[in-house]
Amino acid sequence: MALRRLSAFRPQPRRTTTSARVRAVPPTVFSRMSALAASTGAVNLGQGFPDTDGPSSVIEQAGVALRTGHNQYAPGPGTTDLRRAIAAHQWAHYGITLDPDTEVVVTTGATEGIAAALLGLVDPGDEVVALEPFYDSYAAMTAFAGGVLKGVTLRAPDFRLDPAALEAAVTKRTKLLLINTPHNPTGTVLGREELEAIARVAVAHDLVVVTDEVYEHLVYDDHEHVPLATLPGMAERTLTLSSVGKSFSLTGWKVGWATGPAELVSAVLGAKQWLSFTSGAPLQPAVAWALEHERTWPASLARDLQARRDLLCDGLDALGLPVRRPEGTYFAVTDISALGWDDGLSFCLALPERAGVVAIPLQGFYADGSSAGRQLVRWAFCKEPAVLEEGLRRLGAADLTA
Ligand SMILES: *Cc1c(COP(=O)(O)O)cnc(C)c1O
């Protein structure tokens, strides 16, 4: 009798284990392409992580923190020192004033900042307008929040913002604009006029703006990163996201932050407390130290990256792959139709075997149905020059035509 009753509670096989919410979002292309790079021994010009670490003094500080008792939960909003250092960074670079207690929250990378912003600000049915191609977590997290992502396409070959397209994408259901500058994957750094167009639309329609500025320090030539929060009328409606990963070549640390008006920051905190709650206790003091004591490091990284950008772009050009020289970020985008391909995914899946190189197809980075990115492929240049040279040598030796 007892046995029979127990068996009634045995888990029954279900048709599908994974939730509809997760099944609706395709797995991130970065894992797939990095796994392909690992299994084929290809040069990985796909996923955007540097192959050398950030400043040793900062890593040393993390070691000190590990050895001196920073191993239990940090406060949910982040340590006081780190929140102060983030506020001081925004002031020193951009003249933005923030109250570290109410207008700054530390997140588990900008990725959690994106997730918490969307979960904390978007209701089911709300529309989120994002520049496309977009960082893939924007689509996943908008969907998890029950929102609807609308894309405004930055079109090849120069990937500029079309203000009319932005205006046209906004409807009565639009809740927020999700902006990314410097822009991954196109390398566009939005200029003043483009930012003013965004500000005009945001103010006219009373929208919240979430702006992902993780590449804020990685800009080239005479381009300048201008935070959206510094435009007139924007401070009170803009939530700015950034992180230590890209600026200090510490992508594995996953320490990020969201800054802006207390109302928006508290929406992030409201969601974030149920995601990670807190993370990186021994890393937070080291990140605070980096922001205070290694202020010039990101600019020297940018000078380095600019030379690597030129190495990669000159090489791709020479191979007959038209490339738009990016103004910022880790990435350059090429159009592969010149080689006779009409589909970047097939090209990228063939590339490891053809050439021993991995790149990222852009077609997954657009809202449903858009074919604007079908023939676009992203290459990362945040790699050692020898790695870039080897990648180019392999591409040069291979038959890349369709
Ligand atoms: C890398 C990246 C992120 C993620 O930042 P983490 O701090 O590593 O979570 C967010 N947005 C964009 C555009 C990125 O390229």
Side-chain angles (χ1 to χ4, degrees), residues 108-112 114 135 138 180 182 184 212 214-215 242-246 251 254-256 331:
T108 305
T111 303
E112 191 190 46
I114 294 160
Y135 188 63
Y138 298 177
N180 169 217
N184 171 9
D212 176 345
V214 298
Y215 296 99
S242 193
S243 90
V244 76
K246 308 294 164 50
T251 61
K254 300 296 277 188
V255 176
F331 310 109

Side-chain angles (χ1 to χ4, degrees), residues 354-368:
R354 292 266 194 112
V357 174
V358 159
I360 299 287
L362 290 197
Q363 61 222 67
F365 301 170
Y366 291 78
D368 295 343

Side-chain angles (χ1 to χ4, degrees), residues 280-343:
L283 302 178
Q284 292 193 29
V287 174
W289 197 89
L291 293 176
E292 278 163 26
H293 299 279
E294 289 285 3
R295 286 196 180 181
T296 59
W297 201 89
S300 65
L301 171 63
R303 281 192 293 279
D304 232 48
L305 283 170
Q306 182 173 320
R308 295 173 197 206
R309 172 198 67 170
D310 292 338
L311 173 60
L312 179 71
C313 290
D314 291 345
L316 292 173
D317 261 338
L319 293 171
L321 276 165
V323 62
R324 188 285 192 110
R325 208 155 292 235
E327 300 161 349
T329 77
Y330 284 168
F331 310 109
V333 170
T334 54
D335 184 332
I336 48 150
S337 54
L339 299 171
W341 296 83
D342 67 359
D343 164 15

Side-chain angles (χ1 to χ4, degrees), residues 31-374:
S31 306
R32 182 176 185 189
M33 299 314 291
S34 281
L36 197 57
S39 68
T40 59
V43 173
N44 191 353
L45 303 182
Q47 203 174 0
F49 59 87
D51 49 13
T52 47
D53 284 343
S56 53
S57 67
V58 178
I59 293 166
E60 185 53 39
Q61 289 297 315
V64 170
L66 280 164
R67 289 189 299 271
T68 57
H70 294 267
N71 297 299
Q72 311 308 327
Y73 296 129
T79 65
T80 304
D81 284 354
L82 179 51
R83 282 184 282 111
R84 284 189 185 145
I86 292 162
H89 172 275
Q90 294 304 92
W91 168 252
H93 287 279
Y94 311 120
I96 295 172
T97 53
L98 294 163
D99 176 351
D101 290 332
T102 58
E103 298 178 325
V104 180
V105 58
V106 176
T107 56
T108 305
T111 303
E112 191 190 46
I114 294 160
L118 291 167
L119 292 171
L121 295 167
V122 173
D123 283 312
D126 284 350
E127 291 176 358
V128 171
V129 172
L131 306 182
E132 64 179 18
F134 40 68
Y135 188 63
D136 59 353
S137 84
Y138 298 177
M141 290 315 304
T142 300
F144 283 10
V148 179
L149 195 67
K150 294 283 181 82
V152 174
T153 309
L154 304 179
R155 288 190 190 279
D158 58 350
F159 301 111
R160 305 279 18 140
L161 174 67
D162 173 0
L166 175 64
E167 180 66 52
V170 172
T171 72
K172 280 203 290 293
R173 311 190 71 142
T174 305
K175 176 72 186 281
L176 63 84
L177 306 181
L178 181 48
I179 305 296
N180 169 217
T181 184
H183 184 259
N184 171 9
T186 64
T188 289
V189 176
L190 295 178
R192 281 237 175 241
E193 281 177 24
E194 290 162 309
L195 296 167
E196 281 164 4
I198 293 168
R200 255 196 320 278
V201 169
V203 171
H205 298 272
D206 195 24
L207 304 174
V208 168
V209 178
V210 176
T211 170
D212 176 345
E213 303 186 356
V214 298
Y215 296 99
E216 60 188 315
H217 295 299
L218 305 186
V219 293
Y220 312 124
D221 308 318
D222 47 8
H223 294 285
E224 186 198 1
H225 168 65
V226 178
L228 260 169
T230 61
L231 273 79
M234 293 303 284
E236 58 265 42
R237 63 178 69 252
T238 302
L239 183 77
T240 304
L241 308 177
S242 193
S243 90
V244 76
K246 308 294 164 50
S247 296
F248 286 93
S249 296
L250 295 167
T251 61
W253 282 24
K254 300 296 277 188
V255 176
W257 45 88
T259 58
E263 190 192 359
L264 297 181
V265 165
S266 103
V268 170
L269 190 55
K272 179 226 148 64
Q273 68 184 325
W274 306 118
L275 296 172
S276 62
F277 176 57
T278 178
S279 65
L283 302 178
Q284 292 193 29
V287 174
W289 197 89
L291 293 176
E292 278 163 26
H293 299 279
E294 289 285 3
R295 286 196 180 181
T296 59
W297 201 89
S300 65
L301 171 63
R303 281 192 293 279
D304 232 48
L305 283 170
Q306 182 173 320
R308 295 173 197 206
R309 172 198 67 170
D310 292 338
L311 173 60
L312 179 71
C313 290
D314 291 345
L316 292 173
D317 261 338
L319 293 171
L321 276 165
V323 62
R324 188 285 192 110
R325 208 155 292 235
E327 300 161 349
T329 77
Y330 284 168
F331 310 109
V333 170
T334 54
D335 184 332
I336 48 150
S337 54
L339 299 171
W341 296 83
D342 67 359
D343 164 15
L345 181 60
S346 317
F347 175 80
C348 289
L349 290 175
L351 203 55
E353 201 178 306
R354 292 266 194 112
V357 174
V358 159
I360 299 287
L362 290 197
Q363 61 222 67
F365 301 170
Y366 291 78
D368 295 343
S370 171
S371 60
R374 232 180 120 71

